[in-house]
Amino acid sequence: AQLVPDVEALAEHIACASSTRSELVLPVRNGAGQLLAVFDLDSDQADAFDADDLHNLQAILDATFHNAT
């Protein structure tokens, strides 16, 4: 997972849109640990996401895709 509070402070960051200020990127895995996708959230506001968002969204993704193949 990657939490980027302010993309402008990270020189090597490549944003999907020029208006993006913060980003949260989470792996989507099944119960076997196989990577199925990447869940990417962008915001036009800096500091839009925090560690609670990361942990809570990861738990939702893990539960939702646990039985996926």
Side-chain angles (χ1 to χ4, degrees):
Q2 185 174 23
L3 175 60
V4 183
D6 186 356
V7 299
E8 293 180 3
L10 194 60
E12 65 273 10
H13 185 267
I14 300 171
C16 296
S18 60
S19 61
T20 299
R21 291 293 313 279
S22 60
E23 184 175 38
L24 178 59
V25 182
L26 301 164
V28 179
R29 298 182 186 275
N30 62 15
Q34 179 184 12
L35 183 65
L36 304 174
V38 175
F39 189 72
D40 186 349
L41 292 170
D42 296 343
S43 175
D44 294 346
Q45 298 177 354
D47 296 312
F49 310 109
D50 62 20
D52 286 339
D53 295 321
L54 186 152
H55 295 296
N56 291 330
L57 288 169
Q58 188 67 67
I60 291 168
L61 291 171
D62 291 346
T64 301
F65 293 95
H66 181 78
N67 293 321
T69 55

